Amino acid sequence: MTRVSIGLAGTHGFGEYHLARLARLQRSGRVELIGVADPAGAGPSVPVTVPVYRCVADLLAAGVPD
């Protein structure tokens, strides 16, 4: 199985829902959350090991998602 690298835009509000789904997929080995972008900073559910960027352009410039 190929593991897909994921970058998430937005970690607050509905982003919390996406983080929960990504955590479940990550535990199954299907994806790896390797960066998030949010101008308000990391939401409470973002693992401390995941880099946080201020905007999507910065996330993409870092070459984060596949």
Side-chain angles (χ1 to χ4, degrees), residues 39-60:
S45 299
V46 177
V48 296
T49 57
V50 175
V52 179
Y53 301 90
R54 300 292 290 162
C55 65
V56 172
D58 291 345
L59 175 82
L60 295 174

Side-chain angles (χ1 to χ4, degrees), residues 6-11 15-16 18-19 22 33 35-38 46 56 59 65:
I6 299 288
L8 177 65
T11 63
E16 291 284 331
H18 292 305
L19 285 166
L22 287 169
L33 179 62
V36 298
D38 196 313
V46 177
V56 172
L59 175 82

Side-chain angles (χ1 to χ4, degrees), residues 14-33:
F14 204 71
E16 291 284 331
Y17 172 79
H18 292 305
L19 285 166
R21 302 265 320 206
L22 287 169
R24 194 168 43 242
L25 289 169
Q26 191 160 308
R27 285 191 299 272
S28 75
R30 297 163 82 184
V31 303
E32 181 179 7
L33 179 62

